[in-house]
């Protein structure tokens, strides 16, 4: 079994206390000018309709009317000059998703499951970029392979903002950001018990219970818990999990709302990523050998592990002072520990004539502690013809990581057709070396004004200043100051069509070290986007069409000599178009469809002139869900979907990963408090590869999975 990860040091615990105090100090100067806001001379305006819809509340169906992620205000998606997609709780349940990257399969411009079946994390691309993941508006991850994957059962929705969002978040990739929204306490008492069984001996039990804690409803609670015991499509690799996520909301009046959420998550498993060679996968095997079995386990059963543990506390506070001013503070403190041990093919991966593959051993035990806080003041004011929604904020984050690592070469070959385990050179304590402590700090100040003129013109202007510092023990340190901007203009016609144009910039410090223990430079990007949104009058249908042109500097790319390292690859460019539709065909029948064209190129640096790796030029999807109760068959529903993932290049334009078309389906039946459902993804059990890279390895796509669920609600 893996050795225990040491507890955070006294110095680290001291940092925790001082950081909490610092967050309060940040809040004071921002909000102190607003203490006397009751006497403000600003004219309050009456806000009605979609703008006051709670974007955190559960959504009935597939279409959400508003989203917080793009502007940090409760703005209708139809009135935001930026491309936004929302995956609702209903959609996740109907499509039977078991992880976050599966939930993104039917979203426009998103390359879901970019590296196939990978138990180490959720990997996806947006417009050719690697999106930063946020949870409840606060950055979730810093670096990679240092935290567990988010459990989708704990989520209420997933918001995808395509294009740069650094003015609001600081940390943000030029392609976009993904914001995961947690389930929160609800006013109505309700409980759901869920049991799942499925492919790879999957067995999962979950509970979601919420409601009031007192008679007047000022205290609300919610408890989400998940327990899972499961294998995976790779032999010898498990996917076991325990999640406990309690939360409580204090709502003394309709002006004040304070939610505190805790999370304890422990995953026990291994690595499903086997780094299979080109030969025997996408290319013929040598010496007349057959294709490599895609479920082959390249590691060792007594060594392989990807065990993670995270403990976190999140505070979400909001207070509406009057009809003009609202104050908010979102804060999270998190500690995570990972034991990552794997044996995989030596690079470049080579299948030898006798069916054996040379292997190396890798071990990494990182610790990550992070504090993120976002303080906001929002003012809504103006006249009937000219209104403003202004938000000003100060955010701060600090991420501290350390640990130890080991790497051995020539540890023993493995025959991929007849694997025999146990004959390998083991990593010992003497082989480990310390990972230097790395500390990333970022402080940002931002201001945004959303203006509505004559109820037709919508303008968004934003400005942000960031100070980012990256310090590595015994290595280089750097400090960077960046100003990022955004501007958007939209016109609302009387018949539901709203064309727009926008410009935005991105800035993304990277909390990670390369193989030489040197910090990476921050990513910088910019984008111009043209688009149109259309709401069909008298219907719930909604359509979005966009074209964009973006560039990014200091992008990371896979190291051709080391699969656990990345290099920065100069300047890249992406141009594309996207179409997305939510169609309310008739009561009980929903249809979502999307198409994306993404053309990428490395403009400067390694492999100049080549396409970016793992980015299909064409992707398309459609999912239709029908409730047959309307047709006189009570309780019965069914859905079906098709996903097309186009071919992609390896990063050097020497090898193409073939395109694939996949089919999904579900059937369900509900009666009274009971609900039964069956999901089948990749119905034809297609064997495919999500990507193959120039460094010589391929990533296996998800084979057919069958999941049956039983829900009981009361």
């Amino acid at each position: 079994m893996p050795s225990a990860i040491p507890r955070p040091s006294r110095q680290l615990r001291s940092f925790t206390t001082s950081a909490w105090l610092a967050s309060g100090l940040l809040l004071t100067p921002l909000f102190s000018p607003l203490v006397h806001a009751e006497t403000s001379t600003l004219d309050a305006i009456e806000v009605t309709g979609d703008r006051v819809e709670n974007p955190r509340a559960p959504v009935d169906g597939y279409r959400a009317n508003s989203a917080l992620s793009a502007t940090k205000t409760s703005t209708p998606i139809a009135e935001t000059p930026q491309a936004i997609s929302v995956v609702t709780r209903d959609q996740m349940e109907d499509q039977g998703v078991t992880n976050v990257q599966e939930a993104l399969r039917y979203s426009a411009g998103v390359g879901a499951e970019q590296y196939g079946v990978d138990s180490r994390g959720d990997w996806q691309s947006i417009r050719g970029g690697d999106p930063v993941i946020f949870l409840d508006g606060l950055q979730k991850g810093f670096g990679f392979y240092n935290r567990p994957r988010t459990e989708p059962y704990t989520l209420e929705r997933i918001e995808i903002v395509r294009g740069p969002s650094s003015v609001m978040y600081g940390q943000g990739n030029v392609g976009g950001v993904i914001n995961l929204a947690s389930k929160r306490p609800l006013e109505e008492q309700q409980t759901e018990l869920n049991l799942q069984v499925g492919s790879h001996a999957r067995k999962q039990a979950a509970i979601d219970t919420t409601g009031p804690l007192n008679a007047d409803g000022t205290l609300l609670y919610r408890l989400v818990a998940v327990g899972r015991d499961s294998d995976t499509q790779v032999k010898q690799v498990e996917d076991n999990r325990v999640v406990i996520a309690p939360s409580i909301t204090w709502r003394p009046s309709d002006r004040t709302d304070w939610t505190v959420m805790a999370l304890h998550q422990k995953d026990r498993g291994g690595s499903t990523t086997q780094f299979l060679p080109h030969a025997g996968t996408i290319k013929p095997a040598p010496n007349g050998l057959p294709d490599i079995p895609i479920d082959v386990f390249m590691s060792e059963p007594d060594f392989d592990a990807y065990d993670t543990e995270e403990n976190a506390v999140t505070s979400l506070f909001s207070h509406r002072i009057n009809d003009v001013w609202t104050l908010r503070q979102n804060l999270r403190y998190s500690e995570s520990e990972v034991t990552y041990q794997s044996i995989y093919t030596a690079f470049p991966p080579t299948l030898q004539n006798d069916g054996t593959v040379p292997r190396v051993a890798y071990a990494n035990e990182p610790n990550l502690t992070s504090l993120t806080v976002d303080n906001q003041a929002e003012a809504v004011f103006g006249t009937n013809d000219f209104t403003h929604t202004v938000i000003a904020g100060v955010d701060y984050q600090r991420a501290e990581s350390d640990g130890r690592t080991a790497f051995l070469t020539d540890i023993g070959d493995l025959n991929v057709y007849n694997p025999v385990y146990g004959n390998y050179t083991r990593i010992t304590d003497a082989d480990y070396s310390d990972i230097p402590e790395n500390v990333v700090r970022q402080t940002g100040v931002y201001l945004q004004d959303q203006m509505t003129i004559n109820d037709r013109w919508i303008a968004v202007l934003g400005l942000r200043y960031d100070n980012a510092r990256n310090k590595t023990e015994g290595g280089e340190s750097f400090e960077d100051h960046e100003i990022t901007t955004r501007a958007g203009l939209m016109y609302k016609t009387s018949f539901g069509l709203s064309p727009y144009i926008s410009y935005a910039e991105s800035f993304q410090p990277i909390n990670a070290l390369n193989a030489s223990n040197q910090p990476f430079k921050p990513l910088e990007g910019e984008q111009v986007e043209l688009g149109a949104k259309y709401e069909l009058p008298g219907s719930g249908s909604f359509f979005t069409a966009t074209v964009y042109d973006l560039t990014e500097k200091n992008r990371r790319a896979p190291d051709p000599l080391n699969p656990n390292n990345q290099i920065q690859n100069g300047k890249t460019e992406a141009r594309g178009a996207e179409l997305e539709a939510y169609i309310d065909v008739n009561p009980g029948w929903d249809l979502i469809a999307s198409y994306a064209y993404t053309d990428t190129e490395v403009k400067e640096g390694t492999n100049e002139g080549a396409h970016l790796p793992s980015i299909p030029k064409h992707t398309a999807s459609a999912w239709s869900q029908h409730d047959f109760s309307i047709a006189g068959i009570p309780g019965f529903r069914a859905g079906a979907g098709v996903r097309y993932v186009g071919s992609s290049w390896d990063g050097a334009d020497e090898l193409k990963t073939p395109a694939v078309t996949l089919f999904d389906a579900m059937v369900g039946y509900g009666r009274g408090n009971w609900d039964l459902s069956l999901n089948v993804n990749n119905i034809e059990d297609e064997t495919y590869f999500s990507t193959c890279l120039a460094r010589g390895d391929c990533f296996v796509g998800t084979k057919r999975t069958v999941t049956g669920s039983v829900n009981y609600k009361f």
Side-chain angles (χ1 to χ4, degrees):
M1 293 297 292
S3 59
I5 303 289
R7 297 294 297 170
S9 65
R10 179 176 299 177
Q11 179 183 9
L12 192 56
R13 294 195 295 269
S14 175
F15 147 68
T16 304
T17 303
S18 61
W20 273 79
L21 293 174
S23 70
L25 293 175
L26 283 170
L27 187 64
T28 302
L30 174 62
F31 291 161
S32 59
L34 308 179
V35 171
H36 302 292
E38 295 287 353
T39 61
S40 170
T41 59
L42 296 176
D43 294 327
I45 61 170
E46 181 181 3
V47 182
T48 60
D50 286 337
R51 189 171 291 277
V52 295
E53 174 193 285
N54 183 1
R56 300 186 181 96
V59 174
D60 185 16
Y62 292 174
R63 188 199 162 191
N65 290 320
S66 61
L68 281 174
S69 300
T71 62
K72 293 187 178 179
T73 63
S74 183
T75 303
I77 295 174
E79 297 180 11
T80 304
Q82 188 169 9
I84 305 168
S85 300
V86 177
V87 181
T88 66
R89 181 76 236 160
D90 281 354
Q91 182 179 336
M92 285 187 272
E93 291 180 354
D94 287 344
Q95 294 175 347
V97 304
T98 61
N99 53 59
V100 169
Q101 65 180 17
E102 288 181 2
L104 305 174
R105 288 169 168 169
Y106 287 87
S107 299
V110 180
E113 301 174 289
Q114 189 176 17
Y115 296 106
V117 179
D118 192 342
S119 56
R120 304 169 302 169
D122 294 299
W123 310 110
Q124 50 277 313
S125 64
I126 300 179
R127 295 182 174 179
D130 302 320
V132 177
I133 306 297
F134 289 78
L135 177 63
D136 299 313
L138 301 169
Q139 186 164 341
K140 168 68 173 174
F142 299 84
F144 44 91
Y145 309 138
N146 55 22
R147 66 191 187 278
R149 307 171 79 178
T150 299
E151 168 57 46
Y153 190 75
T154 66
L155 301 178
E156 191 62 57
R157 61 160 67 184
I158 300 174
E159 298 182 356
I160 304 113
V161 181
R162 302 195 291 278
S165 297
S166 283
V167 166
M168 303 313 297
Y169 294 101
Q171 300 267 10
N173 184 271
V174 67
V177 299
I178 295 174
N179 185 37
L180 313 177
S182 299
K183 292 178 176 177
R184 301 191 186 191
L186 302 176
E187 296 178 354
E188 181 181 350
Q189 178 66 47
Q190 51 190 290
T191 299
E192 175 185 87
L193 302 177
N194 175 269
L195 295 177
Q196 279 189 1
V197 294
S199 301
H200 317 303
R202 179 184 180 90
K203 300 173 288 292
Q204 178 172 296
I207 183 173
D208 179 6
T209 181
T210 185
L213 282 172
N214 55 2
D216 60 5
T218 58
L219 286 176
L220 311 174
Y221 81 95
R222 192 160 191 169
L223 173 65
V224 180
V226 178
R228 180 168 70 240
D229 180 272
S230 180
D231 296 331
T232 67
Q233 74 177 44
V234 177
K235 293 179 178 179
Q236 308 281 352
V237 178
E238 296 181 336
D239 179 24
N240 303 327
R241 170 171 293 171
V242 173
V243 176
I244 302 173
S247 58
I248 188 169
T249 292
W250 178 51
R251 193 174 295 157
S253 70
D254 60 357
R255 291 177 175 267
T256 302
D257 189 294
W258 186 18
T259 298
V260 178
M261 302 183 290
L263 172 70
H264 170 73
Q265 180 171 336
K266 181 181 289 188
D267 292 359
R268 292 294 179 263
S271 175
T272 55
T273 301
Q274 304 300 302
F275 304 106
L276 300 181
H278 290 171
T281 54
I282 198 171
K283 292 182 177 180
N287 205 29
L289 293 170
D291 290 343
I292 298 173
I294 59 106
D295 61 353
V296 66
F297 179 60
M298 303 294 294
S299 189
E300 292 286 337
D302 64 348
F303 176 76
D304 195 78
Y306 193 76
D307 298 340
T308 65
E309 183 172 350
E310 180 180 15
N311 294 288
V313 177
T314 302
S315 169
L316 306 173
F317 176 79
S318 175
H319 176 65
R320 181 165 56 90
I321 297 177
N322 54 30
D323 292 339
V324 175
W325 292 101
T326 300
L327 309 182
R328 303 186 192 93
Q329 184 189 66
N330 302 328
L331 182 148
R332 178 181 302 113
Y333 173 74
S334 173
E335 294 181 354
S336 61
E337 303 169 341
V338 174
T339 298
Y340 176 18
Q341 299 178 171
S342 185
I343 294 173
Y344 51 85
T345 54
F347 272 69
T350 303
L351 178 61
Q352 302 179 107
N353 289 335
D354 61 355
T356 61
V357 172
R359 299 183 299 167
V360 298
Y362 173 73
N364 192 30
E365 297 179 359
N367 306 310
L368 174 66
T369 302
S370 63
L371 174 79
T372 54
V373 59
D374 184 10
N375 306 300
Q376 306 168 15
E378 179 182 329
V380 181
F381 60 92
T383 66
N384 290 333
D385 295 329
F386 198 163
T387 65
H388 296 264
T389 300
V390 176
I391 186 169
V394 177
D395 56 31
Y396 170 81
Q397 55 191 27
R398 169 170 172 157
E400 183 172 322
S401 60
D402 58 13
R404 64 174 191 162
T405 188
F407 183 75
L408 292 182
T409 60
D410 300 323
I411 58 98
D413 295 355
L414 184 77
N415 189 301
V416 297
Y417 304 103
N418 185 28
V420 177
Y421 301 105
N423 184 24
Y424 70 101
T425 303
R426 288 160 172 80
I427 289 179
T428 66
D429 284 343
D431 297 316
Y432 281 90
S433 60
D434 289 337
I435 300 173
E437 181 182 80
N438 178 244
V439 180
V440 172
R441 300 181 183 89
Q442 181 178 344
T443 302
V445 181
Y446 59 88
L447 178 67
Q448 177 185 265
D449 188 4
Q450 298 171 252
M451 294 164 279
T452 302
I453 305 168
N454 295 325
D455 199 33
R456 291 296 184 196
W457 291 96
I458 297 172
V460 178
L461 297 174
L463 178 68
R464 181 186 178 96
Y465 168 78
D466 275 296
N467 172 256
R469 290 171 286 173
N470 191 330
K471 182 179 181 180
T472 303
E473 180 183 10
E476 290 186 14
S477 300
F478 94 92
E479 182 173 1
D480 201 2
H481 306 267
E482 289 291 335
I483 293 177
T484 51
T485 61
R486 73 180 299 184
L489 184 64
M490 171 180 278
Y491 180 75
K492 294 172 56 181
T493 67
S494 59
F495 52 89
L497 181 66
S498 300
Y500 69 88
I501 183 172
S502 66
Y503 170 82
E505 298 171 333
S506 66
F507 168 68
Q508 183 185 352
I510 301 171
N511 180 38
L513 305 174
N514 61 22
S516 302
N517 289 327
Q518 302 301 320
F520 290 104
K521 298 176 183 178
L523 301 173
E524 300 175 9
E526 60 179 355
Q527 175 192 270
V528 175
E529 177 176 317
L530 292 170
K533 300 182 179 185
Y534 178 62
E535 283 189 291
L536 185 63
S539 167
S541 299
F542 184 70
F543 305 84
T544 303
T546 59
V547 294
Y548 62 88
D549 187 341
L550 63 83
T551 58
E552 185 177 52
K553 296 188 297 183
N554 301 326
R555 180 186 174 90
R556 289 182 294 175
D559 188 332
L561 301 179
N562 184 354
N564 292 295
N565 186 44
Q566 293 181 312
I567 58 177
Q568 292 192 283
N569 202 30
K571 182 179 178 181
T572 62
E573 180 181 81
R575 297 177 177 178
E578 297 159 348
L579 301 172
E580 190 168 56
Y582 294 83
I583 304 174
D584 183 13
V585 181
N586 59 39
W589 187 357
D590 293 308
L591 173 66
I592 55 176
S594 69
Y595 166 77
Y597 168 82
T598 310
D599 186 19
T600 65
E601 183 181 356
V602 177
K603 304 299 289 187
E604 299 173 4
T606 306
N607 294 322
E608 183 173 335
H611 295 80
L612 292 177
S614 315
I615 308 298
K617 182 169 287 189
H618 301 278
T619 57
S621 65
W623 173 269
S624 177
Q625 177 84 2
H626 191 67
D627 184 351
F628 287 90
S629 297
I630 307 298
I633 309 176
F636 181 70
R637 65 189 187 279
V642 57
R643 296 176 278 135
Y644 172 78
V645 181
S647 60
S648 62
W649 287 101
D650 60 350
D653 280 9
E654 296 176 351
L655 181 68
K656 254 189 179 182
T657 303
V660 64
T661 301
L662 305 169
F663 298 92
D664 309 320
M666 71 83 62
V667 292
Y669 178 76
R671 182 174 182 178
N673 296 341
W674 293 92
D675 187 86
L676 310 176
S677 62
L678 180 70
N679 287 87
V680 184
N681 293 322
N682 187 1
I683 293 174
E684 297 180 310
D685 200 23
E686 186 81 23
T687 296
Y688 69 100
F689 299 95
S690 59
T691 188
C692 295
L693 300 176
R695 66 190 189 185
D697 56 334
C698 288
F699 295 80
V700 180
T702 304
K703 293 284 286 179
R704 180 171 56 215
T705 58
V706 181
T707 305
S709 298
V710 179
N711 273 11
Y712 180 71
K713 296 182 179 181
F714 59 95

